[in-house]
Amino acid sequence: MRWDWVPDYAAALAHGLFITLLVLVVSVFLGFALAVMLALAQVRGGMISSFISKCFCNYIRGTPLLMQLYLLYYGVGSLFPLIPGVREHLQWLVRLDAIYYVLMAFTLSFAGYEGEIMRGAFLAVPRGELEAGEAIGMSGWQILRRIWLPSALYKVLPTLAGEVIGQLKSTPLAFTVPVMDLMGAAHKVMQDKYLIYEPLLLVACIYLVLTWAITSGFSLIERQIPSRRSV
Amino acid sequence: MIAAALPITTLLSFGDSGYGDELAWAALRTIEISVFGYGFGIALGLGGALGKIAGPLWLKRVLGIYTTLFRALPELILIMLLYYAGTDGLNRLLSGVGLGPFQLNGLIASIFVLAIVQGAYATEVLRAAISAVPIGQLEAASAMGMSAALRFRRITVPAMLPLALPGLANLWLNITKDSALVSIVGYTELALATQQAAGVSKQYFVIYLVAQGIYLSISLTSVWLFGRLEKNLRRGQSLARAAA
Amino acid sequence: MKNIILTSGLALALGIFQASPSWADLKMGVAAEPYAPFTSKDASGKWVGWEIDFMNALCADIGEKCSVEEVAWDGIIPALQAGKFDAIMSSMSINEERRKVIKFSDMYYNSAPVLVGAKNGDKDFSPEHLKGKIVGVQVSTIHAAYAKKYFEPKGATLKTYETQDQVNADLAAGRLDYTLADGVTLDDFLKSEQGGCCEPKGAVPYDVEIFGVGVGLGLRQADGALQAKFNKGIADLAKAGTFAKITEAWKLTGKLRLPQAN
């Protein structure tokens, strides 16, 4: 075991950790918002929007995230030269850093998985609660915002910690496109120093700490929420 | 070397000018490592579950660490660690008992790492299912004089299978997708074959779309099959519930 | 007897217990991605290229049966050390950094590292000129090391990729300004339709400390006998004019520096 490289790479690892957390936080928040829309499209949408939402969720859940990321980054990249004028006039789009593709791929992925869960949660809210809202004259939007969504959110909260950890566990894939996340930094050490185990073990420990932090964070939130559940 | 703009029909044709057959073979290798990884993973999970329920304290502790660690760490990191360290260790172990030393090929190494990762998840799924079998049924079996092995085969397994099936189905879907990660350590399954084909033909978009179509059809077929299997296994159960 | 047990036990513990010492079937570790014209998989799924032809000639000469073992480039040295194959044959340049961990055969080819960028007539490629530009390189290559030493301090941004193939794809997409890589493989890229975007800017000044003395077979430190065998084979092929023949067949004459018969 050799650890003398740690000081030299501390900055790179810290920056990588920041990128990993950025990817996690952005994709969870944006992905969740998208998931609510996907779920609503399935439980309340018309035939077409419900079908599209269902297809999207199946696609995300049925294919490896690695391939989704490659399709988004290299697939789309290979299309640029085919469209005349893009390279000259849409420089910013062509030059878009890989991190944006990563954020997009991870957001869509989280949305696909969480959309399915939110759909179940929306359907599990007792009809009576919604009818009560209607009876006191709430509009459809008010019912959604005040009753349906909060109720569904309470239901998914216990599973959400697991989902976020799942998302954290997929973030190392970001290094397969040119993004220097935590894994990317470890990978750099592996390349520069011809080491395998030490950098991997170090990031493994960091991931363990992050997992633990997410678990405790969520149980803290759960305790804050008033509930009549016996447990 | 190859002209860049092949028509899609040629690009995906079977034979020497297209990538259809390469992708098809690679898809088979993906299924192969998934099936074997899944099989060994479940075997490992069954052992792990029994150890967690009935094993001695030290075994329970070891298994506890195994399942907690392996489920908390990113699959990619585990696969890289196991691919280099694990196969190295396995090789030494095999040569230690006089079976080697031999070079583990990519196929065996891939199956091995997928199975170890899968085993941790399978342990938890099976432990929960076995623990949920009503104790009365087991006591009844013992009262009838069944040996522990017979009881396990005749009562525990059939009773816990329907409970474990949804979890096991999920694990199968996960392993078909996780198998793409072994492309990163260089085993040519579908994901890596896709990269090779895309890189040489330069048709990144089309090739990636086709590969995703293959993954999607694997997963949709599996969902359908598991649905039928579950219906089959739950036949007796729902009848009992209806009668009660 | 006791000694044998002790030594083999020690060898096991140290993990240097090697595969069958007779090399009945030699496995060559080749990076799994396309690296034309040296190693790439054709549409029939066969490995082809200058290096594959060289491998066949070399193995025939030393009387071994060789097979290609695909491996990820970024893990190729650890995989060699873990015994997944016997030799690296993947256009790996011999340099000091790598010599610390593995052994090399004599060089079997060398070619100039070339900087390639968008077709715009701007042929200035001094490190100062690259300020503010994005340069793509393949991870853990001599080219990545060179770019890090000469381009990054002058203000160029480096992006590292798993494979050169991905670098080329992003260069064609316009995401990169330049790539620094082996001139011959870039030539192949420039000839493709995708490579129409770009032009060679020139060969960068040769830094022997980084670029080394050419490409060799990578071997485990303990495999001295194998090294001697390969070196003899390389000398035989040079004497027989086989290198020139293979190079001719791949239309690379004049672009590669080859081992000379002596």
Side-chain angles (χ1 to χ4, degrees):
Chain A
M1 289 274 157
R2 264 184 58 194
W3 296 98
D4 53 329
W5 47 272
V6 175
D8 291 345
Y9 288 87
L13 287 165
H15 186 255
L17 177 62
F18 167 73
I19 296 289
T20 294
L21 290 175
L22 180 80
V23 170
L24 179 69
V25 170
V26 170
S27 67
V28 163
F29 275 93
L30 292 184
F32 197 83
L34 189 57
V36 170
M37 288 188 254
L38 285 169
L40 282 175
Q42 282 187 44
V43 295
R44 268 295 146 87
M47 235 173 50
I48 296 174
S49 62
S50 151
F51 178 73
I52 292 174
S53 162
K54 193 143 209 101
C55 282
F56 174 80
C57 289
N58 275 335
Y59 160 68
I60 291 291
R61 285 152 27 98
T63 56
L65 179 52
L66 180 71
M67 299 299 283
Q68 295 165 10
L69 187 59
Y70 278 160
L71 179 73
L72 213 52
Y73 187 74
Y74 291 109
V76 169
S78 73
L79 295 182
F80 286 146
L82 299 182
I83 312 166
V86 166
R87 286 186 67 159
E88 292 76 29
H89 304 299
L90 290 171
Q91 268 279 325
W92 66 271
L93 182 67
V94 171
R95 285 307 180 94
L96 206 57
D97 195 88
I99 184 76
Y100 295 100
Y101 291 89
V102 167
L103 289 175
M104 186 139 95
F106 280 70
T107 299
L108 293 179
S109 163
F110 193 72
Y113 282 91
E114 204 54 38
E116 197 67 23
I117 294 171
M118 279 308 288
R119 184 184 66 94
F122 274 129
L123 290 177
V125 172
R127 189 172 270 280
E129 288 186 18
L130 305 183
E131 284 168 352
E134 257 169 61
I136 60 166
M138 281 186 175
S139 69
W141 169 246
Q142 277 179 322
I143 293 177
L144 175 65
R145 199 167 51 93
R146 298 240 184 110
I147 305 172
W148 211 12
L149 186 58
S151 245
L153 282 182
Y154 286 165
K155 285 190 198 314
V156 297
L157 199 57
T159 63
L160 201 56
E163 295 294 318
V164 173
I165 289 172
Q167 182 77 352
L168 173 73
K169 281 167 33 181
S170 11
T171 55
L173 286 179
F175 97 104
T176 57
V177 295
V179 165
M180 267 286 166
D181 70 329
L182 189 55
M183 186 66 193
H187 195 241
K188 199 166 162 42
V189 179
M190 289 161 67
Q191 297 318 320
D192 291 353
K193 301 285 168 196
Y194 303 106
L195 295 172
I196 283 280
Y197 311 125
E198 293 90 340
L200 279 177
L201 286 176
L202 181 72
V203 290
C205 287
I206 299 176
Y207 272 102
L208 276 186
V209 173
L210 291 179
T211 309
W212 170 81
I214 291 171
T215 317
S216 356
F218 269 94
S219 64
L220 212 66
I221 297 173
E222 255 180 89
R223 258 181 272 144
Q224 304 293 315
I225 289 175
S227 125
R228 275 173 53 200
R229 259 172 287 154
S230 55
V231 285
Chain B
M1 300 254 91
I2 289 175
L6 285 172
I8 289 177
T9 41
T10 318
L11 183 69
L12 298 174
S13 68
F14 281 60
D16 283 355
S17 54
Y19 289 94
D21 47 341
E22 276 70 48
L23 292 181
W25 278 115
L28 277 182
R29 279 199 290 271
T30 282
I31 294 175
E32 185 182 25
I33 56 176
S34 300
V35 166
F36 283 101
Y38 187 64
F40 287 119
I42 288 192
L44 195 61
L46 196 59
L50 292 177
K52 268 198 159 182
I53 290 169
L57 190 62
W58 65 266
L59 186 61
K60 283 182 186 170
R61 286 211 179 119
V62 170
L63 288 169
I65 293 171
Y66 167 55
T67 55
T68 314
L69 263 186
F70 277 62
R71 291 184 313 146
L73 284 173
E75 282 84 352
L76 178 65
I77 294 182
L78 284 175
I79 284 175
M80 289 178 91
L81 270 175
L82 285 174
Y83 191 81
Y84 294 113
T87 54
D88 202 21
L90 187 68
N91 213 342
R92 270 184 237 171
L93 194 77
L94 285 176
S95 36
V97 296
L99 276 173
F102 70 102
Q103 290 165 332
L104 287 172
N105 62 26
L107 174 71
I108 294 173
S110 304
I111 290 172
F112 167 76
V113 295
L114 287 175
I116 301 260
V117 176
Q118 191 76 356
Y121 290 87
T123 299
E124 284 308 305
V125 168
L126 292 171
R127 187 193 55 82
I130 293 174
S131 310
V133 174
I135 190 80
Q137 294 189 4
L138 302 181
E139 285 167 353
S142 302
M144 289 183 64
M146 280 192 192
S147 71
L150 191 65
R151 194 182 68 181
F152 182 72
R153 195 157 53 82
R154 289 252 183 100
I155 311 291
T156 314
V157 171
M160 68 93 170
L161 261 188
L163 303 173
L165 201 64
L168 293 180
N170 248 335
L171 291 185
W172 164 253
L173 293 176
N174 283 346
I175 201 171
T176 55
K177 286 178 282 170
D178 281 351
S179 69
L181 298 179
V182 302
S183 69
I184 289 171
V185 284
Y187 180 65
T188 312
E189 40 60 75
L190 185 51
L192 188 52
T194 306
Q195 277 168 265
Q196 290 172 339
V200 178
S201 70
K202 311 297 178 200
Q203 304 264 10
Y204 291 87
F205 203 78
V206 178
I207 298 257
Y208 281 132
L209 269 187
V210 170
Q212 299 216 333
I214 300 177
Y215 276 112
L216 196 56
S217 43
I218 293 175
S219 101
L220 291 179
T221 314
S222 314
V223 168
W224 179 73
L225 281 176
F226 270 105
R228 292 200 49 170
L229 190 63
E230 188 172 348
K231 239 182 228 159
N232 228 334
L233 279 175
R234 280 198 190 272
R235 240 184 346 208
Q237 272 201 337
S238 53
L239 272 179
R241 212 174 289 152
Chain C
M1 187 63 200
K2 208 172 188 179
N3 254 334
I4 296 173
I5 294 171
L6 202 67
T7 351
S8 52
L10 212 71
L12 277 178
L14 292 172
I16 53 169
F17 208 77
Q18 295 310 337
S20 41
S22 61
W23 304 302
D25 192 2
L26 279 179
K27 283 189 185 164
M28 301 293 192
V30 174
E33 79 269 1
Y35 196 71
F38 295 106
T39 50
S40 71
K41 232 182 201 178
D42 68 6
S44 67
K46 248 181 33 226
W47 280 100
V48 293
W50 185 97
E51 222 169 347
I52 302 298
D53 287 355
F54 162 63
M55 177 185 97
N56 292 333
L58 179 68
C59 293
D61 183 80
I62 61 175
E64 296 285 357
K65 243 183 82 193
C66 296
S67 58
V68 169
E69 185 77 8
E70 293 175 27
V71 56
W73 166 256
D74 53 29
I76 202 163
I77 289 180
L80 171 76
Q81 288 166 331
K84 290 199 163 58
F85 46 82
D86 303 290
I88 295 171
M89 183 176 263
S90 203
S91 294
M92 184 178 268
S93 298
I94 306 161
N95 68 3
E96 282 317 305
E97 215 23 60
R98 290 182 179 131
R99 264 212 180 113
K100 287 178 196 158
V101 282
I102 56 174
K103 223 184 210 9
F104 279 101
S105 73
D106 291 340
M107 80 90 156
Y108 57 85
Y109 82 79
N110 197 6
S111 72
V114 168
L115 193 76
V116 161
K119 215 177 245 169
N120 53 11
D122 175 10
K123 291 274 188 175
D124 184 357
F125 62 97
S126 60
E128 291 75 21
H129 189 67
L130 264 49
K131 182 166 191 248
K133 297 287 202 284
I134 308 175
V135 182
V137 284
Q138 185 186 1
V139 71
S140 69
T141 55
I142 50 175
H143 311 105
Y146 187 89
K148 194 178 171 197
K149 182 170 170 189
Y150 290 98
F151 299 159
E152 205 171 35
K154 300 285 189 216
T157 308
L158 294 194
K159 279 202 175 174
T160 45
Y161 293 71
E162 299 291 288
T163 69
Q164 184 60 37
D165 193 53
Q166 295 173 334
V167 185
N168 296 348
D170 266 8
L171 189 66
R175 285 171 173 154
L176 300 170
D177 295 306
Y178 297 102
T179 179
L180 177 67
D182 175 76
V184 172
T185 183
L186 282 179
D187 238 24
D188 205 74
F189 160 69
L190 289 172
K191 268 186 275 168
S192 73
E193 187 171 323
Q194 197 194 25
C197 61
C198 306
E199 61 183 0
K201 304 294 183 187
V204 296
Y206 206 87
D207 179 340
V208 171
E209 196 189 317
I210 288 178
F211 290 138
V213 294
V215 163
L217 288 120
L219 303 161
R220 283 177 289 257
Q221 296 283 19
D223 280 350
L226 194 56
Q227 183 193 34
K229 215 164 169 175
F230 279 136
N231 285 347
K232 188 182 165 293
I234 291 170
D236 286 349
L237 294 187
K239 212 175 289 166
T242 315
F243 280 109
K245 232 179 275 161
I246 297 173
T247 310
E248 175 78 47
W250 287 92
K251 302 196 174 61
L252 296 172
T253 309
K255 290 177 181 164
L256 294 181
R257 207 157 64 75
L258 300 168
Q260 298 301 313
N262 41 18

